[in-house]
Amino acid sequence: MTLRSHAGSSARAGGASRTAAKLARSIPEATVARLAVYLRILGELAEQGADTVSSEELAAATGVNSAKLRKDLSYVGSYGIRGVGYEVVPLHHEIERTLGLDQKQAVALIGVGNLGHALAGYGGFGGRGFPVTAMFDVDPDIVGIRINGILVDHVRDISAVCAARGVTIGMIATPGSAAQAVCDQLVDAGVECILNFAPVVLQVPDRVEVRKVDLAVELQILAFHVARRRVAGTDGSEPAKGATNGSVVLPR
Amino acid sequence: MTLRSHAGSSARAGGASRTAAKLARSIPEATVARLAVYLRILGELAEQGADTVSSEELAAATGVNSAKLRKDLSYVGSYGIRGVGYEVVPLHHEIERTLGLDQKQAVALIGVGNLGHALAGYGGFGGRGFPVTAMFDVDPDIVGIRINGILVDHVRDISAVCAARGVTIGMIATPGSAAQAVCDQLVDAGVECILNFAPVVLQVPDRVEVRKVDLAVELQILAFHVARRRVAGTDGSEPAKGATNGSVVLPR
DNA sequence: GCTACTTTGTGCGTGCCTTCACAAGCGGCT
DNA sequence: AGCCGCTTGTGAAGGCACGCACAAAGTAGC
Ligand SMILES: NC(=O)c1ccc[n+]([C@@H]2O[C@H](COP(=O)([O-])OP(=O)(O)OC[C@H]3O[C@@H](n4cnc5c(N)ncnc54)[C@H](O)[C@@H]3O)[C@@H](O)[C@H]2O)c1
Ligand SMILES: NC(=O)c1ccc[n+]([C@@H]2O[C@H](COP(=O)([O-])OP(=O)(O)OC[C@H]3O[C@@H](n4cnc5c(N)ncnc54)[C@H](O)[C@@H]3O)[C@@H](O)[C@H]2O)c1
């Protein structure tokens, strides 16, 4: 099992129900998100010199159910050894390949304000295959400066610069009022994946994928749980660890 | 695929059970995340002087299915008028109440580095009921400075300061290596909700809820789609419909 | 080679979330 | 008043994800 086909796409084993096709192996979105987390832990384990890791250990480290983890890993292929566990390095490599991280993605950052500066200076991106290769702003005090050696260009040049540098992912960190216009420019430039930090809902063509990071929403969700907890605390009903039910109780 | 929203990051922390409290009502986690988005749009509509809004309009503005939106709103009560739509202001008010935003939550920020500075200076929090009322760091150059009038304290004082200012939510923006220790201190201080920006999986007691914002994971998910799209492009399989998504996904 | 033990890979039941479709309700028009 | 058109609220169905539990498959010991 260890020396499985390597080049081949290892078209998932056995009586795969998938109508096969060379690739079509669709991976659940939820799994993709977790794979990225496994990847980070595997990287740490590799640095520590770990050779193999069991699903149980990896699950504990990433905070997921071990069965779920094994199922997730089964989507990238069978890289485990029964009775032993998973080989850290090969698995890490294979997840990278599955997520498409073997090919670097050039990232463009639009809006180099408070948040933009933090993002631009963050080493966690380039180190993981996402070099910020282009930056844009409209503020004349910002356009022209360099951050990590990259020049901040004027937004009017988005199209040309992105095309020239092969940008595939755009990060929008402008004020909300400018986000849609910036987004449109990115789309015109051919960018098909956008990470949006502005608190607006972007309208894009079907072919473009948008993910949104909305900190205010995150806080509101937490606030909701604080409030719920408070009320629950007053009636003495025990929080109980019952079902891993995703729902939530609320006063009315 | 774009639509995959899902919001349920978070740790499933303390069992959010349905211990049927007398006046309790269970709201799906996914709905809570979307309510926060509706809320923002409703706020904008109110500013523009809109009187009512139909589920179809609001759905278009927030990028969700109108049936889903109506079902979401049905959890907060029946505030719609058939044949007309929803009254903007009363609905806005009611969602706020439902999410527990009528009571302000004091937020503590730990780690005032690049990202921390951006978060500290962000007006979008205080303006929405989440004033940053305490900040902490270990760097002697940072401890003692003021941001927006708030003094940055030393981490050793987390417990005392948080208790004194009634902090209910903690935001961790320290390097990953320090995150768990900081988290433990917050937990000791009685904080039960944590928003974590560090790329580590925090271990917390069941009663504590953790949500994680992991930008590297977000980018990796986008990268996956870029890669998938590239391959798919060769065989002509369909792209994926667009829309918008909610927030971040993460397990626990 | 055989047995005992460990861990993977997955079939399957369960439950949440989404979406469709439509009856019920409301305002306006005649 | 009565009818009409529009929109809400929700029952029901389908899909997806989770997690249990177990057979398969490998290692270790004798
Ligand atoms: N700072 C935070 O912690 C934080 C948190 C959550 C969300 N956000 C969101 O992130 C976005 C940026 O926040 P910020 O605090 O960095 O704001 P900021 O005002 O500091 O920075 C915005 C930057 O965008 C630039 N800009 C304005 N219009 C532009 C345009 N049309 N094209 C290109 N650049 C343009 C400005 O010159 C400025 O440099 C906002 O939408 C904000 O709501 C920020
Ligand atoms: N900057 C970004 O855009 C970005 C993006 C994604 C994730 N992150 C994550 O956010 C975290 C912070 O990033 P950053 O760029 O602001 O890093 P940074 O190094 O600029 O800031 C970290 C701050 O934490 C402080 N700190 C260190 N140890 C501490 C401790 N034990 N207690 C309290 N404070 C302590 C440091 O003094 C520093 O001020 C990191 O975990 C990083 O991975 C940052």
Side-chain angles (χ1 to χ4, degrees):
Chain A
M1 186 70 63
T2 308
L3 36 121
R4 253 265 197 290
S5 70
H6 187 263
S9 49
S10 77
R12 35 186 355 221
S17 49
R18 286 264 45 93
T19 45
K22 23 164 91 175
L23 39 84
R25 162 185 52 193
S26 76
I27 299 185
E29 188 80 9
T31 291
V32 173
R34 285 189 298 267
L35 283 177
V37 178
Y38 306 151
L39 191 61
R40 173 155 47 226
I41 304 293
L42 285 171
E44 292 172 10
L45 288 173
E47 276 179 23
Q48 292 165 19
D51 222 28
T52 62
V53 62
S54 73
S55 63
E56 210 69 53
E57 294 166 342
L58 193 51
T62 53
V64 301
N65 177 295
S66 69
K68 181 159 50 175
L69 181 142
R70 288 196 296 277
K71 186 158 289 186
D72 285 342
L73 294 186
S74 76
Y75 285 106
V76 313
S78 290
Y79 284 80
I81 306 169
R82 297 177 190 227
V84 177
Y86 298 86
E87 291 183 85
V88 173
V89 174
L91 181 60
H92 182 279
H93 191 265
E94 194 54 26
I95 293 178
E96 267 192 336
R97 209 180 61 82
T98 302
L99 291 181
L101 299 179
D102 43 1
Q103 40 191 324
K104 288 205 171 180
Q105 306 290 344
V107 175
L109 170 67
I110 299 90
V112 191
N114 290 316
L115 181 59
H117 265 99
L119 293 173
Y122 183 45
F125 295 156
R128 294 183 184 283
F130 302 100
V132 175
T133 54
M135 294 188 281
F136 305 93
D137 207 301
V138 284
D139 188 332
D141 290 341
I142 295 175
V143 173
I145 68 172
R146 284 182 180 274
I147 300 180
N148 285 350
I150 307 289
L151 188 70
V152 177
D153 292 302
H154 193 280
V155 277
R156 83 170 80 83
D157 299 324
I158 284 183
S159 198
V161 174
C162 286
R165 301 184 193 171
V167 166
T168 52
I169 297 176
M171 294 197 296
I172 299 180
T174 65
S177 54
Q180 183 64 57
V182 162
C183 171
D184 292 344
Q185 290 180 74
L186 283 172
V187 171
D188 284 346
V191 174
E192 293 195 335
C193 287
I194 293 175
L195 188 55
N196 178 33
F197 291 87
V200 294
V201 180
L202 296 177
Q203 305 294 336
V204 295
D206 279 0
R207 70 168 194 287
V208 177
E209 163 144 11
V210 176
R211 290 190 70 86
K212 187 168 146 195
V213 174
D214 195 324
L215 305 188
V217 167
E218 296 295 322
L219 283 182
Q220 284 174 2
I221 294 171
L222 286 178
F224 172 72
H225 287 116
V226 172
R228 173 178 57 82
R229 209 164 291 201
R230 256 180 211 166
V231 179
T234 59
D235 68 16
S237 71
E238 186 195 343
K241 42 83 142 275
T244 319
N245 172 359
S247 292
V248 148
V249 181
L250 160 79
R252 261 253 71 209
Chain B
M1 309 322 184
T2 305
L3 186 50
R4 201 65 289 235
S5 158
H6 215 167
S9 150
S10 82
R12 54 68 152 100
S17 82
R18 68 279 291 293
T19 32
K22 33 167 85 171
L23 292 173
R25 191 173 179 134
S26 160
I27 297 188
E29 188 80 14
T31 292
V32 173
R34 286 190 298 267
L35 285 177
V37 178
Y38 306 152
L39 191 60
R40 174 155 48 226
I41 304 294
L42 285 170
E44 290 172 11
L45 287 173
E47 276 180 21
Q48 292 163 20
D51 223 27
T52 62
V53 62
S54 72
S55 62
E56 209 70 54
E57 294 166 342
L58 192 51
T62 53
V64 302
N65 178 298
S66 70
K68 180 158 51 175
L69 182 142
R70 288 197 296 276
K71 185 151 288 188
D72 285 343
L73 293 186
S74 76
Y75 285 107
V76 313
S78 290
Y79 284 80
I81 306 169
R82 296 174 190 230
V84 178
Y86 297 87
E87 292 183 83
V88 173
V89 175
L91 180 60
H92 183 278
H93 191 264
E94 194 54 24
I95 293 178
E96 267 191 337
R97 209 179 62 83
T98 301
L99 291 182
L101 300 178
D102 42 1
Q103 41 191 323
K104 288 205 172 182
Q105 305 292 343
V107 175
L109 170 67
I110 300 91
V112 191
N114 290 316
L115 181 59
H117 265 100
L119 293 173
Y122 184 46
F125 294 156
R128 292 183 185 283
F130 302 100
V132 175
T133 53
M135 293 188 282
F136 305 92
D137 207 301
V138 284
D139 188 332
D141 289 342
I142 295 175
V143 174
I145 67 172
R146 284 183 180 274
I147 299 180
N148 286 350
I150 307 290
L151 187 70
V152 177
D153 292 302
H154 193 279
V155 277
R156 84 170 78 84
D157 300 325
I158 285 182
S159 198
V161 174
C162 286
R165 301 184 194 171
V167 167
T168 51
I169 298 176
M171 294 196 296
I172 298 180
T174 65
S177 55
Q180 182 64 57
V182 162
C183 172
D184 292 343
Q185 291 181 72
L186 283 173
V187 170
D188 285 346
V191 173
E192 293 195 334
C193 287
I194 293 175
L195 187 56
N196 177 34
F197 292 87
V200 294
V201 179
L202 296 176
Q203 305 294 337
V204 295
D206 276 359
R207 69 167 195 285
V208 177
E209 163 145 11
V210 175
R211 290 188 70 86
K212 186 168 150 195
V213 174
D214 193 325
L215 304 189
V217 168
E218 296 295 322
L219 284 182
Q220 285 174 2
I221 293 171
L222 287 178
F224 171 72
H225 287 118
V226 171
R228 181 173 58 81
R229 206 165 295 200
R230 257 179 210 167
V231 182
T234 58
D235 74 5
S237 79
E238 120 267 35
K241 57 192 293 195
T244 26
N245 81 15
S247 21
V248 191
V249 188
L250 236 293
R252 149 83 208 161

